[in-house]
Amino acid sequence: MPDAALVLAATPIGDSRDASPRLLAELADARVVAAEDTRRLRRLTDRLGITVTGEVVSYHEHNEASRTPDLVERIAGGDRVLLVTDAGMPSVSDPGYRLVQACVAADLPVTCVPGPSAVLMALAVSGLPVDRFCFEGFLPRKTGERERALAGLADEARTMVFFEAPHRLAATLGSMAATLGEDRPAAVCRELTKTYEEVRRGGLAELAAWAADGVRGEITVVVAGASAAHASTVDVGDVIPRVLERVAAGERLKDVTKDLARTTGLSAKELYDEAIRSR
């Protein structure tokens, strides 16, 4: 087994058969396994048919501040510490960032066992553009805070990925529809890799109406960015007056066309050329 290090290990998000051979080897041989939920870890290892020979300790949001120095000390002393969460990659909306940061500050090695990711899987199956995306995690629970957060994303050109609890899904989709547009394309990915996996695609208002009847399971929501949402409906001729107005007010044509291309999904070159012809 390699030398001392912090090893972030991705665990299956549903189907235990997605566990990699390397994950099995690391679980079997790590000196310390820090788990978000030790009971879930035990169920996983039972399904995988392996035995953890190292010390198992809990590492979750309620004790990560106090436990991080201990784990850093173990790594500095020569131990290989494996960090796993309930599902997916540690530190992605799960404990892990604080420990990684502490190890980096102490100049200790940090590595990763890649594997299942609800974020990447949802992107892949959503049917939405995946060339550029951002992960927004969980939105605020309170309606006002959630809508302010979404307002800040209204012009985001990249495809956006969110996590959400099933009992808040309808309210979140409703807020998205009100803020980002009822017809903004989106996909709700439910129970990925599990028996009742489901991907529901449509406009945000349509999805909110569907979710109003109640949805169960682990939820990942993928929403088209502003560019993709407007690309099929915005005509270059409708945008040129805005270009010329801003140029007349003193802005550089190149800057204006670049900015409007980002928010409309149109080509900056097409906007530039058309603006030149229209002047």
Side-chain angles (χ1 to χ4, degrees):
M1 184 56 61
D3 296 333
L6 169 63
V7 183
L8 306 173
T11 54
I13 59 177
D15 193 328
S16 60
R17 293 173 298 177
D18 292 332
S20 69
R22 186 176 164 204
L23 173 63
L24 272 62
E26 292 280 1
L27 282 169
D29 296 334
R31 186 69 61 83
V32 180
V33 178
E36 183 179 11
D37 186 326
T38 58
R39 293 168 299 181
R40 286 199 178 194
L41 172 63
R42 189 170 297 109
R43 289 197 293 268
L44 175 62
T45 55
D46 286 345
R47 291 196 300 271
L48 297 177
I50 62 172
T51 299
V52 176
T53 59
E55 179 185 358
V56 176
V57 299
S58 63
Y59 188 80
H60 47 70
E61 61 178 331
H62 302 298
N63 73 355
E64 60 178 329
S66 61
R67 181 141 286 169
T68 291
D70 297 334
L71 294 176
V72 171
E73 185 177 349
R74 295 289 296 267
I75 297 167
D79 287 342
R80 190 172 183 84
V81 174
L82 185 71
L83 177 63
V84 295
T85 56
D86 292 346
M89 179 62 68
S91 81
V92 180
S93 279
D94 276 328
Y97 169 74
R98 189 190 299 265
L99 183 54
V100 171
Q101 191 178 43
C103 287
V104 170
D107 198 27
L108 295 171
V110 179
T111 188
C112 175
V113 176
S117 166
V119 174
L120 296 180
M121 181 174 176
L123 272 168
V125 302
S126 69
L128 298 174
V130 298
D131 53 334
R132 298 176 65 235
F133 68 90
C134 59
F135 174 59
E136 294 294 326
F138 286 92
L139 287 166
R141 297 183 181 186
K142 295 183 178 179
T143 302
E145 295 177 5
R146 181 171 62 239
E147 291 181 349
R148 283 192 291 273
L150 287 168
L153 295 170
D155 292 329
E156 172 57 64
R158 296 169 295 180
T159 298
M160 296 167 280
V161 185
F162 303 85
F163 287 160
E164 191 50 279
H167 63 278
R168 292 196 298 267
L169 179 61
T172 293
L173 290 171
S175 293
M176 287 178 170
T179 306
L180 304 180
E182 295 186 351
D183 295 326
R184 177 79 71 101
V188 175
C189 305
R190 187 180 73 85
E191 294 289 86
L192 292 174
T193 78
K194 300 177 183 175
T195 302
Y196 297 105
E197 176 179 307
E198 178 181 18
V199 179
R200 179 73 62 137
R201 305 174 182 87
L204 284 170
E206 175 189 348
L207 291 172
W210 163 75
D213 291 334
V215 178
R216 295 181 178 181
E218 299 287 336
I219 304 294
T220 305
V221 180
V222 186
V223 181
S227 296
H230 296 300
S232 61
T233 59
V234 177
D235 183 85
V236 64
D238 297 331
V239 180
I240 292 303
R242 293 163 58 190
V243 174
L244 298 179
E245 181 180 356
R246 289 175 57 174
V247 170
E251 295 185 64
R252 293 177 63 233
L253 176 59
K254 185 176 181 180
D255 293 338
V256 173
T257 53
K258 183 177 180 180
D259 180 49
L260 290 176
R262 180 179 64 83
T263 59
T264 64
L266 295 169
S267 162
K269 184 179 185 303
E270 183 182 14
L271 285 170
Y272 186 95
D273 291 345
E274 187 61 30
I276 292 294
R277 285 193 291 268
S278 302
R279 293 173 75 174

